[in-house]
Amino acid sequence: MITNRELYSLEHTVAAPLLEGTEYPWEALDGIGDFILALGKTLSPEEYDHPADDVWIARDAQVLPSAYIHGPCIIGHGTEVRQCAFIRGNALVGENCVVGNSTELKNVILFDGVQVPHYNYVGDSILGYKAHMGAGSITSNVKSDKTLVVIKEGRIRHETGRKKVGAMLGDCVEVGCNSVLNPGTVIGRNSSVYPLSSVRGVVPAGHIYKDKDNIVPRT
């Protein structure tokens, strides 16, 4: 339930070629920067501003003056980047997204329609179509003991081989306010997380995460 095909509708991202080349989403994390640089060179100057060698911003996107954008980065059509957003690089932001006030992005893919609108940290993560993170919710991407991240799917252990892995959110996932998604969290399509949650491991598609002992199907 945690492969790219099971989590995402790839027609809703320009990163589809990158994700099609991998089975699991975290396998694409190392390639985000190079993919942005290659894709950016193909973008129409009539549709995209090119304010730096490694930054492309759709002309109909709204980027407020206090936002900071470091490349490699692509900002898609109709996206809003609000006050004091901090984009640290390797950020592929889709169409009609919201990157909110004081939100920080680093090494991420945001599919079309993603909203990270208020005080979010999203690092080494992939957020599917129309995924939404409530105010103050974050992706924790490094374990406290600094060991490599392992994703546990029931009795199956997926060795990522990476020190930094954030969260993989499927399409239409809702994350409640002030929640922490621990390193290597995977949340299936159409699932939601209660506010103030600390989530780890895999949340199946179509479920509600109330706490670690109370994950129930949506009705």
Side-chain angles (χ1 to χ4, degrees):
M1 73 181 86
I2 63 174
T3 66
N4 291 329
R5 288 293 184 181
E6 291 164 318
L7 289 168
Y8 306 121
S9 300
L10 295 181
E11 66 268 24
H12 294 298
T13 178
V14 293
L18 175 62
L19 294 169
E20 286 171 345
T22 63
E23 182 176 6
Y24 297 106
W26 57 87
E27 295 172 337
L29 294 176
D30 279 338
I32 293 174
D34 288 342
F35 182 83
I36 290 171
L37 293 173
L39 178 61
K41 295 174 183 178
T42 71
L43 298 176
S44 167
E46 296 181 356
E47 295 185 38
Y48 285 83
D49 288 325
H50 190 26
D53 287 344
D54 53 0
V55 175
W56 294 265
I57 301 172
R59 292 182 179 272
D60 59 355
Q62 182 181 7
V63 179
L64 295 186
S66 60
Y68 174 85
I69 300 176
H70 190 286
C73 179
I74 293 174
I75 306 292
H77 289 290
T79 284
E80 182 180 355
V81 181
R82 294 176 177 168
Q83 296 92 334
C84 299
F86 179 27
I87 298 179
R88 288 171 49 194
N90 289 353
L92 181 53
V93 181
E95 298 183 359
N96 301 309
C97 294
V98 176
V99 180
N101 56 300
S102 303
T103 290
E104 180 178 348
L105 303 181
K106 190 272 292 186
N107 201 44
V108 296
I109 297 171
L110 306 187
F111 278 52
D112 299 340
V114 167
Q115 295 191 358
V116 283
H118 310 286
Y119 307 105
N120 305 109
Y121 173 69
V122 187
D124 300 286
S125 298
I126 300 176
L127 277 56
Y129 177 58
K130 289 189 174 180
H132 172 262
M133 294 184 67
S137 60
I138 66 169
T139 66
S140 175
N141 60 339
V142 180
K143 296 172 64 177
S144 59
D145 62 6
K146 307 301 189 291
T147 57
L148 300 181
V149 176
V150 177
I151 295 172
K152 298 177 181 178
E153 182 186 9
R155 296 182 179 180
I156 301 173
R157 291 169 54 90
H158 298 275
E159 305 281 348
T160 69
R162 294 180 55 89
K163 180 180 175 182
K164 294 185 178 182
V165 180
M168 309 294 142
L169 307 188
D171 294 343
C172 301
V173 164
E174 290 279 344
V175 178
C177 295
N178 290 323
S179 292
V180 175
L181 308 180
N182 287 280
T185 295
V186 181
I187 302 179
R189 296 181 192 231
N190 301 304
S191 287
S192 59
V193 173
Y194 268 23
L196 299 173
S197 296
S198 177
V199 187
R200 68 180 68 250
V202 177
V203 177
H207 279 65
I208 300 172
Y209 183 100
K210 299 182 178 182
D211 59 53
K212 65 182 179 63
D213 299 316
N214 197 6
I215 304 173
V216 299
R218 301 186 74 94
T219 57

